Structures are given as C-alpha cells and as structure tokens.
Amino acid sequence: MKEIPKTYSPKDHEDSLYKMWEKSGAFAPDPDPKKKPYSIMMPPPNATGTLHLGHATMLAIEDILIRFKRMQGFSALYLPGTDHAAIATQSVVEKKFQEGGMKNPRETLGREGLLKAIREFVEDSKKTIRGQVRKMGTSCDWSRERYTFSDEMNHAVNTLFKMMYEDGLIYRGGRIVNWDPKMQTTVADDELEYLEEKAPFYTFQYGPFQISTSRPETKFGDKYVVMHPDDKRYKKYKHGDTFECEWINGPVTATIIKDEAVDPAFGTGVMTITPWHDAVDFEIAERHKLDKEQIIDFDGTLLEIAEGFVGMPIQKARPLIVKKLEEKGLLVNIQEDYVHNVAVSYRGKGVVEPQIMKQWFVDVNKPAIDWKGKKLSIKEVLQDTVRSGMIRIVPDRFEKIYFHWIDNLRDWCISRQIWWGHRIPVWYKGKELKVQAENPGKGWTQDGDTLDTWFSSQLWTFSTLGWPEKTPDLLRFAPSSVLETGYDILFFWVARMILGTTYALRKTGFSEEKSIPFKDVYLHGLIRDIRGKKMSKSNPETCIDPLDMIEKYGTDAVRLSLVIGGTPGNDMRLYEEKIAGYRNFVNKIWNGSRFVMLNLDSEDKIDLKKLSRADKWILTRLNEIIEKVTEHLENYRLSEAGLTVYDFFWGEYCDWYLEISKVLKNPAVLKHVLQTSLTLMHPFMPFVTEAIWGALAESEPKKSKMLMTTDWPKPNPKFAFFSEADEMERIMDLIAGIRVLRAEGNVEAAKKIHAIVIAHEDTALVQDKAEVIKRLANLGQLDIHENGKKVEK
RNA sequence: GGGCGCUUAGCUCAGCUGGUUAGAGCAUCUCGUUUACACCGAGAGGGUCGAGGGUUCGAAUCCCCCAGCGCCCACCA
C-alpha cells in the first residue's frame, strides 16, 4: 500500500483528472442509438473577460445534472460555447482605446480596424474562459464548442432573418426607439434600467392652460395640448380647437387633443406632447395623426428648432430655457426635488433619449406561425408553449412573470448602430431592397447596422446543432432537456429563445413538440455577499473570485458551496467560511476512504449470512439514501440531494459505522458503501471522488473503469433488512391497544394515539407517522383532513 | 399602482405533498489525541419558526390579515 497523505490536496489531482476525462472521450455523448438523449446547451459566457460567480454557479449546476444523467445511462450532450455579446464587447474594447488616449476609436480606426481589434480581444478572452470552464470540472464536449459569431451562426442568423422578412414578421419602420447617445446605438426595452433621480418639476403657463414638465428642453416644438375627453374642467374645449399663445421662441398656434392616455388626476390634467422623444406621446401622436418634430440630436444637443439654444447639450440648456420662460412671465412654479425615473442603458450606462428612427423590428402580433392547426402570432406561441406545459419553468412562480412580460411586449427593435455583431443581411440600391447575405452586385450597399445580440443568441439551442441543415445532432439532441440560467435573463434570453426557436423550427418542418428550445427551464438565484448585497469588484472585501477560491480550497468545495443551501429562483449569500466548510467535507471523504483502504482484505463479496446488525443498518440506510438522492436530483432539488449524501457520509458512515468497524469490521461492506457513496457524490464533487475511486481500483486492476462513466446506483432489494412494511407492522402492534378507545369518540382517541406514539421510547421505529395516522383513520378511529377539508373514507 | 420573494438558533440557511421530540454548518461551552481525519470525535447550551387571527386530532408547512426587508413590471406629462 502506497503512502497516502493525511490531507487531500486538490491541486495535486484536479488538472490531471480533468485531462484523463477529456482524453477518454467520455465528455462526448455516447453514440449508442439505444441510449436516450439528454442535452444541455451551456449558456455561452460573454467573451469579454473572466468567469464570475454567476458563471461558476451555472457550470456547477449544469455539470451536476449532466454527470448524473450520464451515469444514469443517457447519451448526454453538454455543449460549450461563448457569446460575442455585441454592445458589451464593443464598449469594453472602445473603452480600452479611450483609456489609452484614443478619443474616438470608431473614427480613428474605421469599421474594419475596430472590428479587427475586437476580434483579437475576443479570441484572447475565449482562451481564458475555456481554461476557467475546465477549472470548474465542467464535463462538456469540447469537440462541439460553438461561438455565437461564427460563420455557421451567421448563416443561421441570415436564414432566419430572411424567413421572417418574407413572412412579414420583420419589417423596417420609423418608430420610437431607445437611443443611447453614449454608445451611439439603439437599445431594447428590456435593456433599460431605471434610476431614481431628483430634479425640479416646472409648471408653465401655456395659453389658458398650465402644463408641467421636468424636461423643459423638449418643449420647443410643443403645439398640441392633450386632456382626457371626460375631464369636466375642460368641457368647453373641443377636440381640434386651436388657439394662439406665447411660448419659448415666440407665439405658436396650439391644437386641442382629447385622449384617454391622460390621467385627469395628475397635476392639472393637461399636458403638451413631444412625440419624437417620448413613447407615450408618440402613441398619442400616432392615434391622432399629429406632426412629429425632432428637438434633440442624436448626440444629445439641441437642433435648429431651439433657435437661440441650438447646439447646446440638454443639461446646459435646461436652466437657460426656464430662465427665458420666467422672464416672459410664463413660469408658474417650481417644485424642487421631484423624484422621477431616468432610463439608463443596461450595458453602456448612458442616459437614454427616446428618438424616432428608421429601424428594423420584429412584429410580435402578426399571426404568421403555423401552430397546432392555427395561425398564431409570436405572442400567442410564446404563451402557448408554457401554458400547455410543453415548457416547464422551475420554480413555477416565474411562469406568471413570464406571462406578464408577454402581455407588455411591444415590437422588438433588432437593429443596432454598432459594428460588432451580425450585419443586417439587407442591401439597398436607390429605392430597391434585397434581403440576402451576399452582395447582389454593383451599386448595391449593405445596411450599415448590426443585429441585437439576442437575435443571434435566441438560436443557441439549435443553431449549435447545425440548423438550418438537418444534421444527425439536430435530430437527436433538439429540443434540449433543460436550460439552466439566472432568473435575471428570463426576458432577455429565455423568452427570446422560445420566440426564435418555435418560429424557425416550425418553419423548417419540425413538429410543435420538436420546435421548442428546451423542455425545462431551471432558474438559479443570484449570488450575494455576506450582507446580502450584490457582489461587485468595487467592493473587494466581500467580492469573491471563484478562481481564487478554487486555488485555495479546491473545485469540489467551491462547487458544493454554490449549490448547497440554494434553492431555485432564490438568491444565496456566499462567504469564505462556507467554502472552507465544504473543503473540510472533501477532506473528510479523503480520510474516511484512507481508513477503508487500510482495512481492506482480499475478500470483497458481501456475504449476506455474515452481517452484523450495524452492517445491516448501514446497508439499509444506503438503499434509502440512493433512493432519496436520485429522487431529489430528478426534481431539481440539488441542494437537498447534496445535503442528503453529505449527512449520510459524514454523520452515519464516518462517525458511526467506521467507528464500529474499529471493533467489528466487515471490509466488504465497508468498501461497498464507500464506493456507492462516491458514486452518489460524484456529480457534486467530481475530483475527490474520482481520485479515490482510482486509488481503490489499484487494488483490483480488473475493475478500472472511471467513476465518471460508472452506472448510477439503484437500491439493492437484498439490503432492505429493515423494511418499511416490517416497521409499520411493529408500530401497528404497538398501538393496537388503542382500538378500545374507539368508543370514546374521534377527538379523544386521536389525542391519546398522538400522546402514545410520541411518548413511546422506541420512537425511532416510527418512520412515517402520517401513514400510521392514515391507517388508523381507515380503521374508523379518526377523520383525516387535507387542506382544511375532510377526506372521505 | 400591479406582482413576486424572504422573515426559522448569535450568524448563514435547509425543512419536498400538513404528521417522529423543528434540523445543518459556522460560532460558543465541556471533555477527548483511540486503527482515518484537529480541515477531527463525543457531548452541551441556544428557537413561543416576523405579529395576530382561522382551518385541523395535529400547522414552520394550508387560509386570512398586518408589519419589516428585498426584487420585478408598469406609470411618472
């Protein structure tokens, strides 16, 4: 027997074990067609930097699921990849240049130059990320690695765009969009963040009315006064009436508009509108076919309409405009410190200015998808997939949130004015327009815009398998079994995947059941620091870098700390002591195994006739543990599953059974329980378990299969020495005497049963009190209630 | 304004469909180096399960109501 160190050192094993797994080919799905497919497409991390705790959590959870299923005998595909993350990546690279002194990288480098720089940066990031994903022990199939901006992906994106355009689901139109003046691009509704800001709230005299605003700089072109049609105060004004009034740059002719969008209870119940720079105003203007005029330029300065203020940034102009109105006697009052929300770009953090622009949109209301015998709109299909149970969201409360999001969904603006991303496959020549990837010929120029990142990542689960080609992988592994991600991108990504996948796959001949991106959605919570705050690098005291922790405590400990104690959809706090605690557990396994290895003998078959009471007990418990862990894992209760083996291995096997073995030992049982426990623990902590498995195999060279590809255990009926049925009979005997209480009536009988069952010193025998009570009820001794209702019979 | 989540031991959290005497880790205290492990073992203390009502033989769990904290969505002229 080799000298085994007393302390497990993760560093001495992890890299070589990972290499062994990778080399063995076991990360790839088993090609055996008899095996059922199981697939997870790894949500691709942005190729912009390094792995954080969110990624680590995702990888830990997915790898547990995939290892579990692989051991259960599925042909398990875990497909890795990275995301080009359009806006995020371009802004990171631009910032780098700016920090290096280049004021305007777009201007200095030009389109091709900047793209080249981004490409290099991304390739570098990808390398880093691949290394980090491996560090986590992730058992994904590297031979199938994908990237959202590869040529194959581009082909899929162009194909989808063309199909949707031809079906009228993609259109080009001048509509109001969110413009980020900082990044110089549009951003989607979901990519806005609202920050509370205190600003003065001004009320001005506008003809006979008083109107209020926190943004006087948008008011130059105001020539419509809107009020609710039922507002009695303004009954004498009719829709379409006009009047003359004095305004910022002289007299204007104003028109009265009656519209229900106005809340009569807010302020004076009257407002002027700025359709070019406000979504609600835009809708009012659309309804009544009103003029729209641009006031603010795309760089955030005022246009000619502002006359004396032209060219001024809005923040600078605001007080000056107020001053001018005050001098004209039109300022009624100022309410200081008025709280309102400012829309900020989620990525670039620039303050967003609504603008009317010609952009590309996805129509979410047009009935154009063949779905279960009807023509349905994108919105309707989105609803149906979840409502009909084709897709299940875990935890299910997020289904409500999902439906609510769909209710509020507007047409999706998919064009972006940045350069890093899939180019819009549209060409123009004069008034002509062609939708295709290739240049149609001389005189044609391509649309300069790129597509929203989510337009390409919505295709992730099936474009990665070769779509639009009907590859064997696509036919076998789509739809994927589960999508595991943080609840914070439910709308950004999860919903959009359902959108893109159902359309694309239905369109290319797949059945409804086959046209969903995934069957289950598992949403994990956010990792927070010990105080419950979001972790950020700006707070190094509580911010934890998963790679530092791996270095210090080993991957197995980090994986456990990210999974145990967490429940789907709920945030979890993480702190170093917790990781240290699981490091201790890893070491415990190491040492428990060391003890076993020191006590092995040549005979390793369990002889049922030579079992002590302790042997029988530990084998019975093992059966129960197998059953419980399997059931928890099947139902996405990862934390419960992990805790169950943890408690069993440490509390029962090590603290109790190993101690007994010092006096009365059965090496065969010792080894069997250890090996089975290692199997159960392997998905959670692949490294130690594999290392020990290998060490055990040294003594029996014929059985040298890797733990990773060993079969998942099943309870062994021969080891059920203390069956539940036996226990139940004993309990029934125990309480048989109470039957005489029947005559005394239900309540009294029940109370006495309660007291007796609880007070009996051998309560360990009472494994399932509920069952006892139910059986008593069947004997007519008491009523059973469930959810407040009496259960008949 | 609408919705969701959380509130359980000093701290961080489990507790699946109501059913053994409400659990774990860390922390605290006592004892202990014995065929693995001090990153350990044996044991102890510590909880009216946020407040109040209800249903039930039985409630941390189900229902109602309230409070505090957090999050999401909509609106914000």
Side-chain angles (χ1 to χ4, degrees), chain A residues 415-690:
Chain A
S415 42
R416 298 288 177 271
Q417 289 66 49
I418 52 162
W419 293 338
W420 181 241
H422 292 278
R423 193 86 178 255
I424 292 188
V426 174
W427 300 79
Y428 307 101
K429 183 181 178 184
K431 285 196 169 175
E432 281 179 89
L433 179 157
K434 274 190 183 173
V435 177
Q436 61 184 65
E438 319 73 41
N439 189 341
K442 253 199 176 166
W444 288 87
T445 47
Q446 186 168 12
D447 193 314
D449 288 356
T450 51
L451 286 161
D452 184 7
T453 315
W454 306 105
F455 190 83
S456 53
S457 45
Q458 68 176 338
L459 311 181
W460 185 246
T461 60
F462 64 98
S463 62
T464 49
L465 298 172
W467 187 88
E469 261 59 69
K470 287 195 176 151
T471 61
D473 267 9
L474 179 62
L475 297 172
R476 182 156 171 78
F477 292 110
S480 65
S481 307
V482 57
L483 177 84
E484 193 285 330
T485 189
Y487 65 76
D488 52 330
I489 54 170
L490 176 63
F491 307 139
F492 286 149
W493 194 40
V494 180
R496 295 246 162 78
M497 281 169 105
I498 302 176
L499 186 162
T501 311
T502 47
Y503 172 79
L505 293 186
R506 271 307 277 148
K507 191 75 192 167
T508 45
F510 288 81
S511 68
E512 283 84 354
E513 284 69 34
K514 285 268 175 191
S515 297
I516 51 173
F518 30 70
K519 291 172 199 146
D520 292 346
V521 178
Y522 178 101
L523 298 169
H524 66 247
L526 272 40
I527 305 290
R528 297 175 174 277
D529 68 18
I530 185 76
R531 292 204 185 88
K533 293 259 185 311
K534 239 181 172 174
M535 276 199 204
S536 74
K537 284 183 186 157
S538 58
N539 189 357
E541 258 177 66
T542 53
C543 184
I544 293 178
D545 180 345
L547 296 155
D548 289 350
M549 293 300 111
I550 287 177
E551 178 70 19
K552 206 164 165 189
Y553 299 106
T555 301
D556 293 324
V558 170
R559 288 169 61 120
L560 279 178
S561 66
L562 291 173
V563 167
I564 294 191
T567 42
N570 290 331
D571 295 350
M572 194 180 70
R573 300 182 193 200
L574 185 71
Y575 42 96
E576 202 169 330
E577 293 76 22
K578 186 174 172 184
I579 306 171
Y582 290 112
R583 184 267 323 265
N584 295 353
F585 178 53
V586 171
N587 196 52
K588 186 75 187 177
I589 298 172
W590 182 254
N591 277 295
S593 308
R594 257 182 82 217
F595 174 85
V596 175
M597 282 186 257
L598 295 169
N599 284 286
L600 289 180
D601 67 20
S602 52
E603 185 54 58
D604 64 355
K605 268 206 165 163
I606 295 178
D607 184 347
L608 287 172
K609 287 178 200 126
K610 288 187 192 161
L611 294 178
S612 68
R613 204 181 147 74
D615 296 334
K616 287 181 180 171
W617 183 248
I618 201 78
L619 288 169
T620 307
R621 285 292 293 146
L622 182 66
N623 266 359
E624 288 168 15
I625 296 300
I626 294 169
E627 209 165 335
K628 269 194 198 165
V629 171
T630 309
E631 200 198 313
H632 285 317
L633 283 175
E634 301 272 18
N635 291 292
Y636 297 114
R637 292 191 297 264
L638 272 53
S639 173
E640 278 295 292
L643 272 176
T644 305
V645 237
Y646 176 100
D647 288 341
F648 170 74
F649 193 82
W650 198 326
E652 296 183 54
Y653 182 69
C654 289
D655 289 348
W656 178 75
Y657 186 71
L658 290 194
E659 289 305 320
I660 287 175
S661 296
K662 289 175 185 175
V663 188
L664 188 72
K665 92 181 162 194
N666 187 330
V669 175
L670 216 43
K671 188 176 175 186
H672 173 78
V673 179
L674 173 63
Q675 282 179 323
T676 311
S677 304
L678 290 173
T679 321
L680 293 173
M681 292 189 284
H682 182 256
F684 296 88
M685 33 208 328
F687 289 114
V688 233
T689 51
E690 186 77 78

Side-chain angles (χ1 to χ4, degrees), chain A residues 379-420:
Chain A
K379 268 193 180 186
E380 290 165 325
V381 173
L382 280 170
Q383 284 163 336
D384 182 70
T385 51
V386 174
R387 191 160 286 147
S388 68
M390 295 168 82
I391 295 174
R392 178 178 141 218
I393 303 180
V394 180
D396 59 9
R397 63 186 148 89
F398 281 95
E399 291 186 358
K400 225 180 189 175
I401 299 173
Y402 170 81
F403 288 128
H404 186 245
W405 176 80
I406 297 172
D407 291 341
N408 289 312
L409 187 62
R410 297 185 215 183
D411 284 1
W412 172 19
C413 174
I414 52 171
S415 42
R416 298 288 177 271
Q417 289 66 49
I418 52 162
W419 293 338
W420 181 241

Side-chain angles (χ1 to χ4, degrees), chain A residues 328-341:
Chain A
K328 288 187 164 205
L330 296 174
L331 177 64
V332 179
N333 65 54
I334 304 176
Q335 193 186 328
E336 296 291 344
D337 287 347
Y338 181 77
V339 181
H340 66 132
N341 289 332

Side-chain angles (χ1 to χ4, degrees), chain A residues 664-784:
Chain A
L664 188 72
K665 92 181 162 194
N666 187 330
V669 175
L670 216 43
K671 188 176 175 186
H672 173 78
V673 179
L674 173 63
Q675 282 179 323
T676 311
S677 304
L678 290 173
T679 321
L680 293 173
M681 292 189 284
H682 182 256
F684 296 88
M685 33 208 328
F687 289 114
V688 233
T689 51
E690 186 77 78
I692 297 166
W693 186 268
L696 279 167
E698 276 175 25
S699 61
E700 40 176 328
K702 46 186 170 168
K703 209 171 147 188
S704 60
K705 223 176 150 194
M706 290 191 300
L707 176 57
M708 187 193 152
T709 48
T710 298
D711 291 342
W712 188 255
K714 287 195 176 100
N716 186 339
K718 281 188 208 146
F719 296 160
F721 298 102
F722 302 95
S723 81
E724 272 182 49
D726 289 350
E727 290 297 290
M728 201 52 65
E729 286 314 310
R730 292 179 64 178
I731 295 157
M732 291 311 288
D733 287 349
L734 199 148
I735 55 182
I738 328 169
R739 287 179 195 176
V740 292
L741 295 171
R742 194 185 300 181
E744 295 177 25
N746 286 346
V747 177
E748 280 306 300
K751 281 183 180 164
K752 280 176 187 170
I753 292 158
H754 199 82
I756 289 167
V757 173
I758 288 169
H760 198 276
E761 55 183 348
D762 202 6
T763 45
L765 294 173
V766 187
Q767 289 293 314
D768 191 347
K769 203 161 89 180
E771 188 57 30
V772 176
I773 302 291
K774 268 182 204 160
R775 289 176 69 158
L776 283 165
N778 289 341
L779 294 172
Q781 289 184 339
L782 69 152
D783 300 330
I784 290 286

Side-chain angles (χ1 to χ4, degrees), chain A residues 44-293:
Chain A
N46 288 355
T48 48
T50 53
L51 237 52
H52 57 248
L53 277 171
H55 295 123
T57 307
M58 160 188 109
L59 294 170
I61 295 172
E62 289 168 9
D63 197 51
I64 289 169
L65 293 172
I66 209 85
R67 282 181 188 268
F68 168 58
K69 289 291 169 182
R70 190 184 290 124
M71 291 168 95
Q72 271 194 326
F74 286 84
S75 171
L77 169 63
Y78 187 11
L79 184 144
T82 42
D83 194 311
H84 70 291
I87 294 183
T89 310
Q90 181 164 338
S91 88
V92 167
V93 176
E94 279 184 19
K95 207 186 239 168
K96 283 198 169 183
F97 279 116
Q98 280 157 349
E99 277 161 9
M102 192 187 290
K103 269 193 177 165
N104 190 336
R106 290 194 206 185
E107 213 164 76
T108 315
L109 299 170
R111 189 156 188 149
E112 277 318 307
L114 184 60
L115 285 180
K116 187 169 170 263
I118 299 175
R119 228 171 271 135
E120 281 163 15
F121 169 78
V122 162
E123 281 314 311
D124 218 46
S125 298
K126 274 156 98 175
K127 266 183 218 150
T128 313
I129 287 171
R130 282 187 200 116
Q132 293 172 339
V133 170
R134 283 182 165 87
K135 272 268 165 214
M136 280 297 294
T138 316
S139 63
C140 53
D141 181 1
W142 291 105
S143 72
R144 284 178 167 88
E145 185 188 347
R146 296 290 185 268
Y147 173 49
T148 57
F149 200 15
S150 65
D151 291 347
E152 296 79 26
M153 268 291 217
N154 187 246
H155 177 54
V157 165
N158 289 335
T159 308
L160 177 75
F161 190 98
K162 193 172 163 66
M163 284 181 348
M164 290 183 90
Y165 178 78
E166 283 165 3
D167 273 344
L169 283 174
I170 284 182
Y171 67 91
R172 190 173 189 230
R175 291 203 31 236
I176 194 147
V177 294
N178 309 300
W179 178 255
D180 175 356
K182 208 170 145 198
M183 273 306 287
Q184 288 286 301
T185 182
T186 56
V187 289
D189 292 347
D190 302 303
E191 277 175 320
L192 299 181
E193 217 167 59
Y194 293 94
L195 300 180
E196 270 195 357
E197 194 190 79
K198 278 183 185 170
F201 189 59
Y202 310 93
T203 301
F204 301 113
Q205 195 67 42
Y206 189 83
F209 305 104
Q210 288 186 356
I211 55 126
S212 302
T213 184
S214 55
R215 302 199 58 196
E217 68 276 10
T218 64
K219 295 282 146 195
F220 289 101
D222 287 10
K223 53 182 183 179
Y224 300 104
V225 233
V226 191
M227 58 208 72
H228 197 279
D230 302 335
D231 196 329
K232 284 179 196 142
R233 288 171 293 179
Y234 308 111
K235 215 175 166 182
K236 63 174 176 172
Y237 302 99
K238 296 276 173 290
H239 181 84
D241 285 357
T242 59
F243 62 89
E244 296 286 316
C245 75
E246 183 60 25
W247 197 227
I248 313 172
N249 289 327
V252 292
T253 307
T255 310
I256 304 227
I257 300 294
K258 302 268 182 166
D259 192 284
E260 295 187 348
V262 180
D263 176 4
F266 187 95
T268 57
V270 181
M271 64 179 192
T272 57
I273 56 166
T274 315
W276 202 284
H277 300 292
D278 185 283
V280 175
D281 293 2
F282 175 83
E283 279 169 20
I284 293 171
E286 285 280 281
R287 271 198 288 280
H288 303 285
K289 307 245 178 318
L290 310 179
D291 298 340
K292 308 179 191 95
E293 217 168 341

